[in-house]
């Protein structure tokens, strides 16, 4: 099992994103970066315990290192879900204390848990008691009218005392009243300095930062001040940004992406996915932004958006889409 949070280890992760970071998405991202930490979509603890586990939790070995994000607020249920997740082979269990969506609030978990740090600590403690893998928390700097200075410190104090291995912080408040989930990702102002101050307070604990980070240059700047960077929409909409992650983490010179290898890998994966009962569109919907800025990218997107969703579409559609792109039209680092 991968030891993710070793002393001094810097991490770049792809954030857990509802309806986006499914196993098809993660397999695609893994073809571009070998070292980034990948996260599942949030899975509710009750669903893990009572639902179709293979469909909810199954993943391919190539996806390691991979973390399972859980949603919930019942320590016993989260502990059971964490135990099941470890049994599936995940490298980390992450507790969602940051999602502001209505459906999450109605279940009394996600960002609203910022208001009950003692309960979050109980959940962490319960999960740590039953698994040997990393248990982490992803939170906001505060919610609603909370003052982020004491609110974040109190949560951090409690979850670290409970044994969490890392705290990932989305550097915005969440407004549970008056803003939609989309607006909560854009309107509350980013406050990276608040996360930096938390790291200064917890010099020997892992603190990662999330929210509005668009490039590897920005990631590099953040990694000078905190231990990890989590890329969200930038990684999804322009996945080529992930091509430089391994070089960033390993201090090596970035190399050009080998698109021929990528094409073969994704066509092979798509074939296996279809053979197991899936559809080509399940795979290709995550790949639309790959060639942003290259000649032929518009045609590539058209093929993936139309032909890939036709009945009987197979891996050749993916190869046809790749063939529309002029890979010499821009120097592409990986």
């Amino acid at each position: 099992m991968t030891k993710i949070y070793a002393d001094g280890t810097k991490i770049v992760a792809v954030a857990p994103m509802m309806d986006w970071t499914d196993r098809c998405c993660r397999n695609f991202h893994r073809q571009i970066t070998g070292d980034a930490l990948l996260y599942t979509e949030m899975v509710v603890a009750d669903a893990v315990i009572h639902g179709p586990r293979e469909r909810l939790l199954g993943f391919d070995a190539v996806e390691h290192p991979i973390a399972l994000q859980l949603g919930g607020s019942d320590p016993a249920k989260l502990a059971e879900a964490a135990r099941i997740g470890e049994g599936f082979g995940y490298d980390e269990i992450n507790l969602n204390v940051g999602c502001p969506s209505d459906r999450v609030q109605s279940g009394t978990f996600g960002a609203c848990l910022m208001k009950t740090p003692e309960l979050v600590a109980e959940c962490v403690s319960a999960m740590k008691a039953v698994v040997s893998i990393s248990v982490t928390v992803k939170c906001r700097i505060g919610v609603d009218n909370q003052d982020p200075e004491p609110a974040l410190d109190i949560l951090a104090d409690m979850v670290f005392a409970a044994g969490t291995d890392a705290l990932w912080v989305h550097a915005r408040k969440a407004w549970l009243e008056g803003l939609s989930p989309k607006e909560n990702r854009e309107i509350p102002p980013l406050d990276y300095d608040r996360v930096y101050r938390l790291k200064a307070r917890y010099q020997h604990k892992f603190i990662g930062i999330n929210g509005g980070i668009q490039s590897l240059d920005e990631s590099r700047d953040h990694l000078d001040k905190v231990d990890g960077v989590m890329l969200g929409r930038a990684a999804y909409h322009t996945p080529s940004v992930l091509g430089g992650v391994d070089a960033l983490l390993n201090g090596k010179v970035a190399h050009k992406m080998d698109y021929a290898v990528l094409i073969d890998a994704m066509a092979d994966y798509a074939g296996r996915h279809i053979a197991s009962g899936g559809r080509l569109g399940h795979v290709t919907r995550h790949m639309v932004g790959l060639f942003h800025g290259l000649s032929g990218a518009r045609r590539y997107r058209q093929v993936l958006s139309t032909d890939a969703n036709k009945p009987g579409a197979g891996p050749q559609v993916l190869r046809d889409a790749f063939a529309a792109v002029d890979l010499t039209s821009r120097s592409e680092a990986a």
Side-chain angles (χ1 to χ4, degrees), residues 32-252:
I32 305 173
T33 168
D35 294 340
L37 172 60
L38 304 181
Y39 279 78
T40 68
E41 305 169 86
M42 184 191 69
V43 186
V44 177
D46 274 323
V48 172
I49 297 169
H50 304 293
R53 293 178 186 174
E54 179 57 37
R55 181 173 65 80
L56 292 170
L57 302 181
F59 66 94
D60 293 343
V62 71
E63 296 172 44
H64 287 292
I66 178 172
L68 169 64
Q69 187 181 66
L70 294 176
S73 58
D74 183 306
K77 290 181 179 179
L78 284 166
E80 177 62 9
R83 185 191 63 77
I84 293 167
E86 182 178 39
F88 266 77
Y90 283 94
D91 301 296
E92 171 189 334
I93 304 295
N94 177 265
L95 178 62
N96 184 324
V97 188
C99 182
S101 76
D102 292 340
R103 57 180 165 168
V104 168
Q105 291 183 55
S106 66
T108 319
F109 51 90
C112 62
L113 286 174
M114 293 289 300
K115 298 179 179 180
T116 55
E118 301 90 347
L119 177 57
V120 177
E122 288 179 29
C123 293
V124 169
S125 180
M127 291 187 287
K128 287 288 292 185
V130 298
V131 301
S132 60
I133 57 177
S134 299
V135 173
T136 67
V137 172
K138 186 173 187 289
C139 68
R140 294 281 184 129
I141 60 174
V143 295
D144 297 338
N145 292 316
Q146 282 185 331
D147 181 344
E149 290 301 324
L152 186 58
D153 279 351
I154 290 170
L155 179 73
D157 288 348
M158 291 191 173
V159 297
F160 278 125
T164 193
D165 295 283
L167 184 59
W168 289 95
V169 185
H170 186 149
R172 304 180 198 266
K173 268 192 172 184
W175 288 94
L176 305 180
E177 299 288 342
L179 292 182
S180 69
K182 181 177 185 297
E183 290 170 329
N184 261 297
R185 294 191 295 267
E186 300 170 349
I187 292 177
L190 287 161
D191 189 354
Y192 295 138
D193 287 340
R194 178 63 191 94
V195 185
Y196 299 160
R197 290 194 295 277
L198 183 68
K199 177 58 189 175
R201 188 165 179 264
Y202 274 108
Q203 296 183 27
H204 302 295
K205 299 291 187 180
F206 185 100
I207 304 291
I209 198 166
N210 172 227
I213 302 167
Q214 298 296 317
S215 69
L216 291 184
D217 285 341
E218 292 178 38
S219 299
R220 187 177 294 105
D221 291 341
H222 286 300
L223 288 173
D224 287 337
K225 303 176 182 71
V226 294
D227 305 298
V229 169
M230 189 174 273
L231 299 170
R233 285 169 290 165
Y236 190 84
H237 291 306
T238 55
S240 60
V241 72
L242 298 174
V245 168
D246 297 0
L248 173 63
L249 293 175
N250 297 320
K252 299 177 181 178

Side-chain angles (χ1 to χ4, degrees), residues 254-320:
H255 299 286
K256 288 184 178 180
M257 188 180 299
D258 192 332
Y259 284 113
V261 173
L262 178 61
I263 293 168
D264 287 342
M266 291 312 300
D268 178 69
Y269 176 76
R272 287 186 281 114
H273 180 72
I274 293 168
S276 67
R279 297 195 302 271
L280 181 64
H282 295 160
V283 178
T284 58
R285 74 185 184 97
H286 304 297
M287 302 175 63
V288 174
L290 177 61
F291 293 114
H292 181 74
L294 270 68
S295 176
R298 182 178 180 182
R299 176 57 183 158
Y300 167 83
R301 292 192 296 271
Q302 288 175 338
V303 173
L304 292 191
S305 298
T306 56
D307 294 359
N309 292 300
K310 293 179 179 177
Q316 186 57 44
V317 173
L318 189 54
R319 294 188 182 277
D320 292 343

